[in-house]
Amino acid sequence: MNSKETKVAPAREIAARIGRLQNAMAGKDVDGVLIQQKSDLFYFAATGQQSYLYVPVEGQPLFMVVKDFERAKMESPIENIVSLTSVKNIPQCLADFGLTPPERLGLELDVLPVNLYLQQQKIFSRSESVDISLEIRLIRGVKSPFEIEKIRLSCQLSDKLAQRMSELLEPGKKEVELAGELEAYARKLGHQGIVRMRMWGGELFYGHLLSGPGAAVSSYLASPTGGKGVSPFVAQGAGHNIIGMNEPVLFDYVFAVDGYLSDHARIFSIGKVSDKILDAHKAMLEIQGEIIEKAKPGAVTGELYETMVSMARKLGYGEHFMGVGERRIRFTGHGVGLELDEFPFIAKGQQLPLEKGMIIALEPKTIFPGVGVAGIENTHLVTENGLEPLTLFSDEISEVRCA
Amino acid sequence: MNSKETKVAPAREIAARIGRLQNAMAGKDVDGVLIQQKSDLFYFAATGQQSYLYVPVEGQPLFMVVKDFERAKMESPIENIVSLTSVKNIPQCLADFGLTPPERLGLELDVLPVNLYLQQQKIFSRSESVDISLEIRLIRGVKSPFEIEKIRLSCQLSDKLAQRMSELLEPGKKEVELAGELEAYARKLGHQGIVRMRMWGGELFYGHLLSGPGAAVSSYLASPTGGKGVSPFVAQGAGHNIIGMNEPVLFDYVFAVDGYLSDHARIFSIGKVSDKILDAHKAMLEIQGEIIEKAKPGAVTGELYETMVSMARKLGYGEHFMGVGERRIRFTGHGVGLELDEFPFIAKGQQLPLEKGMIIALEPKTIFPGVGVAGIENTHLVTENGLEPLTLFSDEISEVRCA
């Protein structure tokens, strides 16, 4: 059972990630980091089990597992692994492995709740706490070849889901009904269901399936499209709208397999959509094409955002690009990986330059209240030559004929 | 559009909740509370939009909405409602409404991330921060008649889902395949998809559909059953196991409609299960029956837990009740409402007495590694006479005949 095949990631992959973290720690004068957020744990320890990973600035990490220890041991290639009954025992665990308490302790302060932090301040009473989340997010923003293959797979399955959409789309169906059918298919393909976001309160259920004017309803989510949802509690995504003829139907789905996400939007229709939607869609594809060329390593994310906004304006979509009025969002793309809101952000004011190996969901969209949505979203890999799209289903509006 | 019918909860319902919070604040010498967690916001302001709710210890609350303002205005019965562009503007907003900065400011410190807290410490530099989460959770733990009706509806839909399970269960199907089919049906019934937990890192995707020995696989979740899941990233719930004949198939699903949850587990089988499973199931029903009688207002939750554990021991299931060895969990029931992990907890050491109007998912289960799971979970209302089950699908093991 404990053979190499049961490991979720190769030992050298995990060692390289830990090495990058240790470099970042050294640069910030941090002696030890305690990782406890679920996606960070999966990234650095290759298991989803409940645990704490202590990384010293030099030497081997110590992996302390609360539940389930046997599963974590089977999945994680980290060598120093122990069972832990309480967070209070962490200092003793460290001492048992010859690790001295850190002077400066790095914590994920962007996500750690205050009460847990206060408890840990007592446990590490001699350590000064430092936020290490920016460094972790920067590391996670650049994907390894191992991760890129995982994301490729997610994108391939997302293409299959888009294909299935052409087969299931019928007039008279409720959005939630079609969404449920699509999601059943996604599950059969191995979709993990849960899509994680790092931002507090961020949440998404598979994605957005929205028809006609319903796609232009704004919501709480930091996203160009919102949707009414099935209730004001989860006020986004598919709702009880009936899908009609000749309207743009937005398929905006996140595939999630082996932890890794793709993000993918297409417009479908039953019968023809209006020229207004067709023209806007064409404009969004033009903007996408421009960025595919320009988004090479070194390109500054905030400048790419401004390029997109200014192209949209020149093409006549300034008032409708990425939302309308106060409801406009200030980004046009975001990194994806284990979470939906990873670095880099193609967003207003962002200074981060692109690097080879980043993965970006680029989503130029136009929103017409009362009418619907046009535009595109593809998951791309940043290469020396610009963006390589990993979602390959046709970018054009897919017109489905009514049977 | 802004008529009373568009409000998510009646104004008097929201006023009563705010009143209970103000009472608790007075008892704790807190002058103001800033509510910002999504489920708490929905509870006290009746919208899921991105916002902050300030509640002074006396007088009217002020509702500040970031996105989407128009939706929040339509949904929330709170009268003082304003659009907010940045959290930094909250003190000015308060001043505009004649509210003085609080000396002691209540915050949801069990869930609020450290970096947001540190930012807010600066914004409210003259206020002392106090944790108000316990008081909020105690208030939310006792449901109003309005909420009980919502939960009844969720339970009725969950019964329909269990009925559908009898129709869809077939040998040779993968767990995830059957799960997807059930979930598509749940969506059609209006299931909101997202199931929220308050605990940091807590997550659930619909529930657990687990067959035979697969149901006895432990995982990171604080739950008696775990399951392998589709990958180590989301290492719980339905996986790639093929459903066989004569094995217990666990259907443990959370329905979620209009924000409110039910939690419901049943055992199904294709053909007969072993006497071992039948006997264990009978024992779990006996334990449930005992608690239905005993769980009256005033009963202490920790004592109910001990009663269940000691009954399980007497009935011969001491080693298998709620897990095995280190993997045993220390609770047998939990409150449900807008979140899956609400007060009260029927758990080791809990001192909280039951109150009329609490809702409890009670789940006596036995875990046999290598074989499977037996037992039950129903969502109950605490009444003067003990528990009233709200999920009504037959408690017995449902044997489905192979076509």
Side-chain angles (χ1 to χ4, degrees), chain B residues 28-39:
Chain B
K28 209 178 170 172
D29 210 13
V30 166
D31 327 84
V33 163
L34 188 66
I35 295 175
Q36 45 197 317
Q37 191 249 22
K38 290 182 77 65
S39 301

Side-chain angles (χ1 to χ4, degrees), chain B residues 244-378:
Chain B
M245 302 280 298
N246 308 112
E247 59 180 21
V249 182
L250 176 72
F251 161 98
D252 190 345
Y253 265 71
V254 173
F255 212 95
V257 68
D258 288 350
Y260 284 92
L261 309 179
S262 62
D263 196 355
H264 191 191
R266 290 295 184 272
I267 304 294
F268 289 78
S269 70
I270 311 164
K272 289 202 183 313
V273 293
S274 64
D275 286 347
K276 180 178 181 161
I277 293 291
L278 281 174
D279 292 344
H281 195 76
K282 209 172 144 193
M284 295 305 108
L285 294 186
E286 201 177 324
I287 294 173
Q288 175 185 256
E290 180 77 11
I291 300 302
I292 283 178
E293 294 290 319
K294 284 205 164 141
K296 293 178 182 166
V300 176
T301 41
E303 291 171 12
L304 292 173
Y305 170 79
E306 294 300 342
T307 301
M308 292 174 81
V309 169
S310 105
M311 272 189 80
R313 203 178 296 127
K314 276 183 208 150
L315 291 164
Y317 297 96
E319 300 302 310
H320 296 274
F321 187 60
M322 304 309 287
V324 177
E326 277 192 7
R327 291 155 167 196
R328 172 167 305 154
I329 56 154
R330 304 293 171 189
F331 73 85
T332 50
H334 54 93
V336 296
L338 295 172
E339 291 166 320
L340 192 59
D341 50 352
E342 297 201 356
F343 283 5
F345 293 95
I346 313 296
K348 194 170 177 66
Q350 288 286 311
Q351 302 290 325
L352 193 69
L354 292 187
E355 281 183 58
K356 206 180 139 185
M358 284 177 165
I359 297 278
I360 299 170
L362 192 73
E363 50 176 324
K365 288 172 184 159
T366 37
I367 317 296
F368 301 109
V371 177
V373 168
I376 192 88
E377 181 164 18
N378 280 302

